[in-house]
Amino acid sequence: MPRRALITIAADGATAWLPLPAETGTRARPGLPAPAEVEDELILVVPAEAVATLPAPVLAGSRNQRRRAVLYAVEEQLAAPVESLHVALSGDERTIAVVSRRQLQDWLSMLRTAGLEPDRMVPESVLLPTPGEGVSLWIDRDRYLLRTADTVLVCAPGQLAGHLALSGQGVLRRVEVSAGSERLYGEAAAAGIDASAAQSIADPVALLAGRAQDTAVLDLLQGEHAPHRRRRNLQRRWRLAAALAAAALIGLCAHALVERWMLLHRLEAQHAQMSQLYRQVVPAAGQVPDPAAALRSRLSALAPGARADALALLAQVAPVVAASGTYILDAVEVRGDGAELTLRAGDVAALDALRRQLDALPGLSAELTAATPGVNGAEGRVRVRRAGAA
């Protein structure tokens, strides 16, 4: 079973965690989980006070380019130098979250000291209930969180009325109340908040956990702060791809070696067949290391000049005859300046087609000297010689 967990960090640094998926009635546990309890995914929820969420301006370029440029586009709205800030862009690119680099690094260092590595870091502000109209108020322990359609405000007890006045939103449409907040709830009611739809939340961490499991939620771990585990997974995928590529290359090499071995074996078989044919022509021959050279030499001795080129001519003709597989070669007779082939084919037209193919070969001319149709096909003789020979 997957071992996943969610950790929340409060503004004062207090931590609590909850195993995921959270069963009904499960309460958050204080502190941090043991590394062995989180092997698959760890989601860290950080306090809204530390992360500013703003509407994202429309920018050109790739997503990475827009993520880097967006911080400078909203520079006037920030109270710190942009060099000291880290920015994250939501999946729909409608919202940005800005946090201090030092604060983000402190959160990561705290977890890594405990042997934990977060896979996602989610601002608490994006997990708050989304208001339909007006302002959504969430009363959590000893603070108020006000969420409008564009931003989130956090205030302490006694500051609620002032923030409501600044928001200019009028009557609140939704109120969510966490356990142990009766005093703050009373203060909100005294401020004139319509709390008729208020809900009592037994465990705020469980509420956040349910929302944080949505992978579309804005994640602070982007760019240089991408989680180590995600990088390891990416490296693992690249290693797997490299291994598969190496296996494919080895397979190609092995295939080439096998094919080479098969060709050598076929060449040896053809060489043996040629040697056997040569012994039939020259019964007195002993060992024949190169039957083609021996036959060429013998032809040259029998008829110098004209017949010496007979094997080269046949080597040029043979691929055409063998290519279609429709011709049966019965005999080859070397005659003066060329050779005459005795063949069988399906009909006379097939023999004439072979004649045209041979006549089209560079430096050759061919003619059909005889053609006899029969019940089982046609038998013919095709004479081939060097073009221009008398």
Side-chain angles (χ1 to χ4, degrees), residues 2-337:
R3 282 178 279 189
R4 303 165 57 234
L6 175 135
I7 298 175
T8 61
I9 300 180
D12 60 2
T15 58
W17 72 283
L18 194 70
L20 299 177
E23 298 180 359
T24 304
T26 303
R27 301 297 296 269
R29 309 171 191 178
L32 297 173
E37 295 179 280
V38 190
E39 291 187 355
D40 293 287
E41 184 184 32
L42 176 61
I43 303 172
L44 178 65
V45 178
V46 296
E49 293 90 328
V51 183
T53 55
L54 302 168
V58 178
L59 300 172
S62 67
R63 178 176 173 82
N64 285 336
Q65 290 172 333
R66 291 193 295 272
R67 189 186 63 79
R68 289 192 295 266
V70 72
L71 192 58
Y72 295 92
V74 297
E75 183 176 4
E76 295 181 356
Q77 303 178 51
L78 305 174
V82 293
E83 293 78 11
S84 66
L85 302 174
H86 170 73
V87 64
L89 190 62
S90 64
D92 59 8
E93 300 191 16
R94 297 175 60 183
T95 306
I96 62 171
V98 182
V99 62
S100 164
R101 290 179 179 271
R102 175 174 294 182
Q103 177 64 85
L104 187 146
Q105 194 59 51
D106 288 344
W107 290 329
L108 292 175
S109 298
M110 179 189 67
L111 292 185
R112 288 167 182 168
T113 301
L116 300 169
E117 185 68 38
D119 295 284
R120 288 195 289 143
M121 184 183 293
V122 181
E124 181 187 36
S125 54
V126 301
L127 303 179
L128 297 179
T130 304
E133 297 179 1
V135 177
S136 173
L137 174 67
W138 188 34
I139 304 174
D140 178 33
R141 298 178 181 86
D142 59 349
R143 61 177 181 160
Y144 295 110
L145 286 85
L146 290 83
R147 179 170 183 178
T148 68
D150 298 327
T151 188
V152 172
L153 300 173
V154 183
C155 65
Q159 300 176 344
L160 180 59
H163 280 284
L164 287 175
L166 289 174
S167 68
Q169 298 291 333
V171 179
L172 299 179
R173 302 295 183 183
R174 182 173 182 175
V175 179
E176 299 209 13
V177 184
S178 66
S181 59
E182 290 80 1
R183 180 176 61 84
L184 298 185
Y185 179 72
E187 180 182 326
I193 296 175
D194 179 6
S196 59
Q199 303 175 28
S200 179
I201 303 169
D203 188 355
V205 176
L207 173 68
L208 297 177
R211 301 175 185 272
Q213 293 180 73
D214 181 0
T215 56
V217 170
L218 192 152
D219 183 6
L220 290 174
L221 297 181
Q222 299 180 16
E224 62 185 287
H225 293 289
H228 291 178
R229 190 184 314 196
R230 193 181 304 166
R231 292 175 183 171
R232 287 197 299 269
N233 290 339
L234 183 60
Q235 291 171 353
R236 190 179 299 113
R237 293 191 186 100
W238 277 112
R239 285 196 295 269
L240 178 59
L244 291 175
L249 182 60
I250 292 173
L252 288 174
C253 293
H255 177 74
L257 291 174
V258 170
E259 192 174 57
R260 183 176 182 275
W261 176 85
M262 293 176 65
L263 289 174
L264 288 175
H265 183 71
R266 183 179 178 183
L267 183 61
E268 291 175 358
Q270 289 178 341
H271 192 276
Q273 187 178 11
M274 290 167 63
S275 298
Q276 183 179 1
L277 290 173
Y278 184 80
R279 290 193 186 93
Q280 291 176 4
V281 176
V282 186
Q287 293 294 328
V288 188
D290 188 350
L295 184 58
R296 188 179 296 109
S297 176
R298 188 170 181 82
L299 286 173
S300 179
L302 291 174
R307 297 185 181 180
D309 193 36
L311 286 184
L313 184 146
L314 292 176
Q316 192 175 358
V317 168
V320 177
V321 176
S324 67
T326 60
Y327 304 104
I328 298 176
L329 183 63
D330 289 332
V332 177
E333 184 178 354
V334 177
R335 287 190 171 187
D337 57 352

Side-chain angles (χ1 to χ4, degrees), residues 349-366:
L351 291 172
D352 189 59
L354 175 64
R355 190 271 309 168
R356 290 196 300 271
Q357 285 182 282
L358 296 177
D359 192 62
L361 292 176
L364 295 185
S365 66

